[in-house]
Amino acid sequence: MADYDLVIRNAKVVTEDRQLDGDIAVKDGLIAALEPAIAGKGSREIDAGGKFVLPGGVDSHCHIEQKSGFGIMCADDFYTGTVSAAFGGTTTVIPFAAQHRGMSLRQVVKDYHEAATPKAVIDYAFHLIVTDPSPQVLGQELPALIKDGYTSFKIYMTYDAMKVSDYQMLDILALARRDGALVMVHAENHDMINWLAHHLVDQGHVAPKFHAIAHARIAEAEATNRAISLARLVDAPLLLVHMSEIEAIETLRQAQKKGLKIFGETCPQYIALTADDMDKPGVEGAMWCCSPPPRDSAAQEAVWAALKDGTFQTFSSDHAPYQFNAGGKIPKGDKTTFKEMANGVPGLEVRLPLLFSEGVQKGRITLQQFVALTSTNHARLYGLYPRKGTIAVGSDADFAIWDADKEVTLDWAMLHDNVGYTPYAGRQIKGWPITVVSRGRVVVEDGKLNAQRGSGQFLPCASPDSSKPLGPASPELQAMSRFGAKPLF
């Protein structure tokens, strides 16, 4: 009788802080042993042949089976989205349960569970998107949902249908501080964008390339500074998502140097694309439109520097999949203006290979930094560590065998999402996950999927590490207490 369900032999096991040459043993979905040479036998044994074995990726920013603020449904449901993730070496996703105004958050969560449960092939948690912080939501629904394992939520500073006011942001941040949650912020100045867009459209400048002009760099820089200031007032943890811009990155870096609990994320589009990619004939450039938009080579270098020096904690896909048709990217066909185009690019499957190829292989980041940026830090920030995000005894057996020498030319035909194109077509990649294990199940092997619909599990999240310990709030809030005002937390 076998000692283990699965044994991986002759692996170069890499975590965020070390490399071990040896074997991994799996029993009942968990890592049971991690040793230079495991004596016991497995029901199934795989020889890694000296290849790297890395923790399964955790993608903490992806949109799956979600309706946008414009009312457009994503191209990927929980089956195609999670299949695509698995083939890219990601074994845990944290998409959004998105509240639109007037909706009950409780009902939103119920709806997303009904969508994910029968389809997901890998494990998943949910962030909440909060667009309507009503007294009911703030007083009852959010506190109860946090206790139930939904310990992070996203808010928007732009988009008419999604944005919250600064006052509402403070309410949400104060609640997050009190109840042990992490707030994610899409930071762009809404009025700057609208003002620029109005004048561009008024003058007939409606092509996709003008999206990058309307979503000005300073709009991201200003909103980043404002979001940090609001979080600072109440000393609440905050994560700024999909950062792209030099000044905004430096503002984040300086906030961290002050000891503030402010975290940052960037995405593949900001290391691999530029605004010039949107400059295509007709509306073709819409396939490269996302918010914030890709910038230029100088901004790319700033992003790389922040990945290397720890200013960014996470590298996420921000997978926002819309097909290039009237039901997706271009609702008015070739008459669609940049203001009407669905925002977002796909990237769930190529997130890890792109960073591995451009980062590790080219010496921009270390292999340990790659693991932290794509897996471990996500699990820590969102309350899933050490169950996810590492290769350690007692952790879920989530990992991928990487062929560091495999060369791939990206093309949508080789991918597994439902989008119909990839903005990275033609790019040369070196390094690819060839075998992927999720909770001890070999879900991807020899280019084939071995996981059943609905075999992924929902993951309730603990309070994020980022919410503890809490420091003092601003001097003004402290003064309120000294003068006899009721405490706000």
Side-chain angles (χ1 to χ4, degrees):
M1 184 174 179
D3 302 286
Y4 303 106
D5 301 325
L6 173 68
V7 177
I8 309 295
R9 303 282 185 187
N10 303 314
K12 294 184 183 297
V13 180
V14 182
T15 65
E16 64 168 342
D17 56 5
R18 64 176 178 147
Q19 179 174 319
L20 167 70
D21 292 350
D23 302 344
I24 308 169
V26 176
K27 183 77 171 177
D28 298 328
L30 303 178
I31 296 173
L34 181 60
E35 300 171 6
I38 291 173
K41 301 297 183 182
S43 297
R44 169 88 193 273
E45 299 210 357
I46 297 175
D47 186 351
K51 293 181 175 64
F52 292 123
V53 177
L54 310 181
V58 180
D59 195 339
S60 60
H61 187 166
C62 50
H63 303 271
I64 300 174
E65 205 160 335
Q66 178 193 326
K67 188 175 287 187
S68 75
F70 291 101
I72 300 171
M73 178 59 74
C74 286
D76 281 317
D77 66 8
F78 277 93
Y79 181 69
T80 59
T82 56
V83 168
S84 181
F87 273 95
T90 290
T91 53
T92 301
V93 291
I94 315 181
F96 299 91
Q99 179 202 39
H100 297 284
R101 286 176 186 154
M103 287 179 154
S104 156
L105 268 178
R106 273 290 186 195
Q107 185 61 47
V108 167
V109 169
K110 181 176 181 291
D111 291 344
Y112 276 84
H113 275 290
E114 289 176 354
T117 300
K119 300 173 191 171
V121 302
I122 58 172
D123 294 350
Y124 58 95
F126 288 130
H127 307 296
L128 307 174
I129 288 179
V130 181
T131 63
D132 190 1
S134 65
Q136 170 78 11
V137 166
L138 293 173
Q140 298 180 33
E141 292 189 344
L142 266 181
L145 285 165
I146 291 169
K147 290 178 181 177
D148 288 345
Y150 307 87
T151 58
S152 50
F153 26 93
K154 183 180 179 183
I155 54 178
Y156 288 81
M157 299 174 77
T158 189
Y159 300 132
D160 287 320
M162 309 289 282
K163 72 182 183 73
V164 296
S165 68
D166 289 0
Y167 191 104
Q168 290 171 320
M169 280 184 66
L170 286 168
D171 276 342
I172 294 167
L173 287 162
L175 184 150
R177 174 193 162 103
R178 184 194 72 200
D179 291 350
L182 178 63
V183 178
M184 310 161 70
V185 176
H186 177 136
E188 289 186 285
N189 183 299
H190 181 72
D191 288 325
M192 284 185 182
I193 294 167
N194 269 3
W195 186 82
L196 287 166
H198 168 80
H199 288 287
L200 286 166
V201 172
D202 193 51
Q203 295 174 38
H205 301 304
V206 298
K209 64 183 178 182
F210 293 105
H211 173 81
I213 296 175
H215 286 257
R217 299 160 193 251
I218 196 170
E220 182 180 349
E222 186 282 328
T224 296
N225 184 67
R226 181 158 40 103
I228 291 171
S229 298
L230 293 169
R232 186 178 180 184
L233 178 66
V234 296
D235 190 51
L238 180 78
L239 185 138
L240 293 148
V241 298
H242 48 48
M243 297 190 73
S244 71
E245 194 276 328
I246 296 171
E247 185 179 337
I249 293 169
E250 185 57 30
T251 299
L252 169 64
R253 185 178 284 114
Q254 294 306 315
Q256 292 171 345
K257 287 181 178 179
K258 294 174 184 174
L260 301 177
K261 292 182 289 295
I262 310 296
F263 306 93
E265 167 205 273
T266 197
C267 309
Q269 51 267 40
Y270 306 119
I271 63 169
L273 305 176
T274 70
D276 291 342
D277 288 307
M278 286 179 273
D279 190 4
K280 300 285 194 301
V283 295
E284 184 182 342
M287 287 186 279
W288 287 264
C289 278
C290 57
S291 296
R295 307 295 184 180
D296 58 17
S297 59
Q300 286 180 341
E301 289 308 310
V303 168
W304 278 117
L307 287 167
K308 184 177 179 64
D309 71 13
T311 300
F312 290 144
Q313 285 66 50
T314 59
F315 185 82
S316 307
S317 69
D318 190 13
H319 180 71
Y322 301 103
Q323 294 181 346
F324 188 63
N325 55 33
K329 272 285 185 182
I330 46 173
K332 295 183 179 179
D334 60 6
K335 303 299 183 186
T336 307
T337 71
F338 74 85
K339 279 286 289 178
E340 298 160 325
M341 292 169 183
N343 273 293
V345 292
L348 193 51
E349 190 165 344
V350 300
R351 174 183 71 115
L352 300 185
L354 269 171
L355 187 64
F356 189 94
S357 183
E358 294 296 314
V360 177
Q361 300 280 39
K362 295 184 178 181
R364 290 177 166 124
I365 59 172
T366 68
L367 197 50
Q368 283 75 24
Q369 286 176 313
F370 173 86
V371 169
L373 287 162
T374 60
S375 183
T376 312
N377 290 347
H378 299 253
R380 280 205 173 101
L381 279 170
Y382 297 108
L384 292 173
Y385 185 87
R387 178 176 180 181
K388 304 292 186 182
T390 192
I391 298 175
V393 174
S395 297
D396 281 1
D398 289 7
F399 44 80
I401 301 173
W402 281 73
D403 184 344
D405 296 319
K406 183 173 182 176
E407 296 186 352
V408 173
T409 301
L410 288 181
D411 182 80
W412 181 74
M414 63 170 288
L415 302 178
H416 298 82
D417 59 51
N418 192 40
V419 182
Y421 76 93
T422 172
Y424 308 105
R427 184 172 291 271
Q428 302 296 312
I429 297 291
K430 186 176 181 181
W432 202 269
I434 55 172
T435 303
V436 181
V437 177
S438 167
R439 266 185 296 106
R441 306 168 299 143
V442 181
V443 294
V444 173
E445 188 176 28
D446 297 327
K448 296 179 181 178
L449 179 73
N450 300 319
Q452 298 298 314
R453 287 175 179 264
S455 59
Q457 292 183 358
F458 171 69
L459 305 166
C461 296
S463 288
D465 288 354
S466 60
S467 64
K468 304 177 230 184
L470 289 171
S474 66
E476 290 74 19
L477 264 67
Q478 295 179 64
M480 287 176 64
S481 297
R482 290 201 307 272
F483 295 144
K486 180 181 178 182
L488 298 180
F489 308 111

